[in-house]
Every structure is written in structure tokens, then in C-alpha cells.
Amino acid sequence: MDISWIPGDQDVIVAAIAGIAVIGGVAAALFAKVRDRRDLDERAVPPRPRTPGETADESTEPPASDADAAPVPEAPAARSGEHPEDPDARFSRLRSRLSGGLGAGLLSIFGRGPLDANAWDELEETLLLADVGPAATDEILDALKARLARQSDVDPKVALHDALLDIIDPTLDRSLTLGTPGGAEGRTAIVVGVNGVGKTTTVGKIARVLVAEQYSVVLGAADTFRAAAADQLETWGSRVGVPVVRSQREGADPASVAFEAADRTRADGADVLLVDTAGRLQNKAGLMDELGKIIRVVSKVQAPSEVLLVLDATTGQNGLSQARIFGEVAPLTGIILTKMDGTAKGGIVIAVQRELGVPVKFLGLGEGVDDLAPFDPQQFVDGLLGD
């Protein structure tokens, strides 16, 4: 029997090594092929971004199909109007400023003891210098003297507190008549005033407060004369998440923009329309007539619920002359005094309200988004007298 084909021990070892080498090469080739395929897949389909609340394991799971691999939309940014500062906190910042102006002068007078003739003269001068106005000053002093004559044991400071509170009249309704959130009533507030008092900023701050109270709001950029006014209002609209109706043409008819905004408010079923108007000098008859036209045009959709006059509190008695003229042209429902954080002396609140018979509804305390506080007569007088 020919056994020359049977391998010896050394031949068996060589054959085994060769077989192992062949198997290893095949495995390496297969592994490389799989790795290359995986790299291609990873480049073709980027990892899905992790959504809020998703765990690491969940975020790294591959999509089941191309349809499932659609990008996850980003959550909308939180609107700044959702959580404005508490009104009491806003007003407390004003109180510290009031006590340093008119309040400091009054405290100095009452701190010296009983009121003699010199003290009465100084009290009158202090009130006049604080922009209270001659008529309101006389009314306050007469009420104070009558109270002290009737009640000799009353503290003069307490009597003055009551006299100031009476003339400011805490019974006046200082709320905005803008319906209820979700009522889709389309109430309109038109904001008016001269150049530079802060109307556009005030409109934005009011919108912020209303959005936080769940009102749906539309802004109307009817200041078509100042190039940056509509852009500024759009910035506020974007910040608080409300639409802005504007003209793309500088110098467009502001009444037509106001009408378009009112029509948009009605069509959208929105709760409130806030209309920003151009600053106008009270001695320019043409501009004042145009303001009347805006009010008439908006009234074709719905008569304004609020016409708010914005005054710069630092202008003192000049603000009263502005208020008189605007009161003759527009049916004012409320006053907003801005720049109370500056050199305003506080007494203008008393003077302008007495002059117009229209309540002060808001005070502007600065440039911050929350620097607009509802006017509180009690807190205001307490701040004046350092209580």
C-alpha cells in the first residue's frame, strides 16, 4: 500500500498554521467592510439632538426609518412678558426716590416742632417747588389748616398725609378698561404725547404686562414719522411675542396704519390693540388734528377704550400745558408719568390729575422692562412722607 501521500507531523503543523492564517485574513476583511459601512452610515445620518428631559440612552437610539429621523423642532424661547416683576416691588423703588425729594423737605419742616408762620411759608414754598402747582397747593394748605383747627391734638404730619391722599383721590378707577383675557373683545388703547416722553417704550412695557396676564395683544405702529419708531416697536413685539402692524413706507398715513391694526385685531379675534402714535407738539394744529383723525378712524372698527397721555414728569408745569391741549383734542382716560427716576419732584402727579380730572394710572421708573408701575395713591403718599 502506497502511503507516500500521508503527511508527517511537521507537514500537519504547517497546514494548520496556513489554515489559521487564511481564516484570520477573511475575518479581518469582513470586519473592515462592516466598519467602513458603519462609518458611512454615521456620516449620512447625524445623531439626533437630545430633547429636554430625554436620557442619554434615549437620545443615542438610531431612528427606525428615514421618516423617523426628521429633526426635532426647537422649543420656542420663553417670553420675557410671562413673569414681570411684582407691582409692589416696582413701586417700592420709587418710594426711595420720593422720600429724597419732596419728602425730605416736608420731613424737615415737621421735624422742627409746631407749625409757626415761617413754617407755613416754607411748607407752601416746598409744595410749589415740587411742581404741585399753585391751585393744588392752596387746596392742600387750606385743608391742613382746617383740620388742625378742628383737631388741635392731631399730628400735623398725619393731617398732611390725609390732605395729600384726599386731593389725589384714591377712589378713582386706575385700572385699564381692556376687557378680560380671552374675551376676544378687541379693545383699543391709543397712547399719545409729545416727542421724547417715551411713548413707544411705554407701549412695549404695557404689552409685556398684558401678555403676562394672558391677553392676546396686537401692536399698531402708527408713528410713521420717526424712522426708528416702527423698528423699536417690532423689537418689543418680538420680545413679548405679539404681532406688530406697520407700514413699510416712511411717512405713510398714520390713520391708515391704525385702521389696519384695528382691522387685524378684529380679524384675529385678539383681546387688545395698543396703538403707538407719533410725538406731536401741542402747539402744532395740523398734527393735533391728525391725532383726532386716528381716533375717528379706529372708532370705525371700535371706539377706543383707553386714550393714555404720556408725560415726562421732569418737565413740571410745562407738562400741564401739554396735558390741557391734548385733553381738548382727545378723550383722555388716563395719564402715564415717565422718568420718575430722574429729577421729577413728585408733585406733578397731584397737579396734572387735578388739572385734567383724569387719573394717573402708571408711573415710569426707568428704562428697564419692568420699570412701569401701576399708580398706588396710598403708597405714593407714604413715599412722599417717608412712612
Side-chain angles (χ1 to χ4, degrees), residues 261-328:
D263 197 45
R264 165 75 177 273
T265 303
R266 178 176 57 184
D268 290 355
D271 299 325
V272 176
L273 166 64
L274 298 176
V275 179
D276 180 30
T277 63
R280 52 201 74 238
L281 299 175
Q282 70 274 18
N283 57 354
K284 299 295 183 181
L287 291 175
M288 297 302 286
D289 290 343
E290 189 175 77
L291 175 59
K293 179 183 177 183
I294 291 174
I295 295 173
R296 291 193 302 273
V297 166
V298 169
S299 297
K300 293 181 179 180
V301 178
Q302 184 174 167
S305 300
E306 297 279 356
V307 179
L308 303 171
L309 173 62
V310 181
L311 293 175
D312 181 341
T314 64
T315 59
Q317 295 300 304
N318 185 45
L320 289 181
S321 63
Q322 298 173 16
R324 293 188 195 103
I325 302 301
F326 277 98
E328 294 172 1

Side-chain angles (χ1 to χ4, degrees), residues 223-231 246-254:
D223 182 354
T224 59
F225 295 105
R226 186 166 63 92
D231 293 339
R246 60 172 296 180
S247 173
Q248 299 301 323
R249 181 171 60 87
E250 185 177 344
D253 180 17

Side-chain angles (χ1 to χ4, degrees), residues 55-304:
T55 65
D57 290 338
E58 289 170 337
S59 66
T60 54
E61 288 181 358
S65 65
D66 290 341
D68 295 332
V72 178
E74 295 182 1
R79 293 182 302 201
S80 59
E82 290 179 351
H83 301 289
E85 186 182 9
D86 183 81
D88 288 340
R90 283 176 258 164
F91 210 95
S92 65
R93 283 186 274 123
L94 174 66
R95 291 184 57 170
S96 62
R97 297 183 181 276
L98 292 173
S99 60
L102 173 59
L106 295 175
L107 289 175
S108 174
I109 295 171
F110 289 115
R112 293 197 298 265
L115 297 178
D116 55 18
N118 290 334
W120 282 108
D121 289 341
E122 190 175 350
L123 180 57
E124 179 180 16
E125 181 181 1
T126 300
L127 292 172
L128 290 173
L129 290 175
D131 293 329
V132 173
T137 295
D138 288 343
E139 185 176 336
I140 292 169
L141 293 179
D142 289 344
L144 180 58
K145 290 176 180 178
R147 174 80 177 275
L148 295 176
R150 292 194 314 270
Q151 299 173 285
S152 58
D153 59 338
V154 70
D155 184 343
K157 182 182 172 182
V158 173
L160 178 60
H161 179 284
D162 294 343
L164 289 171
L165 194 58
D166 285 343
I167 199 169
I168 293 175
D169 193 357
T171 65
L172 291 175
D173 183 6
R174 301 177 190 275
S175 62
L176 294 178
T177 310
L178 297 176
T180 57
E185 299 176 51
R187 301 290 186 93
T188 299
I190 298 178
V191 181
V192 304
V194 302
N195 293 302
V197 296
K199 292 185 305 302
T200 303
T201 299
T202 298
V203 170
K205 291 177 181 178
I206 294 174
R208 170 174 162 80
V209 172
L210 291 177
V211 168
E213 295 176 355
Q214 305 305 311
Y215 283 89
S216 56
V217 179
V218 174
L219 301 181
D223 182 354
T224 59
F225 295 105
R226 186 166 63 92
D231 293 339
Q232 183 181 358
L233 199 64
E234 278 198 322
T235 299
W236 272 104
S238 176
R239 175 180 293 173
V240 301
V242 301
V244 178
V245 176
R246 60 172 296 180
S247 173
Q248 299 301 323
R249 181 171 60 87
E250 185 177 344
D253 180 17
S256 67
V257 175
F259 178 81
E260 182 183 349
D263 197 45
R264 165 75 177 273
T265 303
R266 178 176 57 184
D268 290 355
D271 299 325
V272 176
L273 166 64
L274 298 176
V275 179
D276 180 30
T277 63
R280 52 201 74 238
L281 299 175
Q282 70 274 18
N283 57 354
K284 299 295 183 181
L287 291 175
M288 297 302 286
D289 290 343
E290 189 175 77
L291 175 59
K293 179 183 177 183
I294 291 174
I295 295 173
R296 291 193 302 273
V297 166
V298 169
S299 297
K300 293 181 179 180
V301 178
Q302 184 174 167

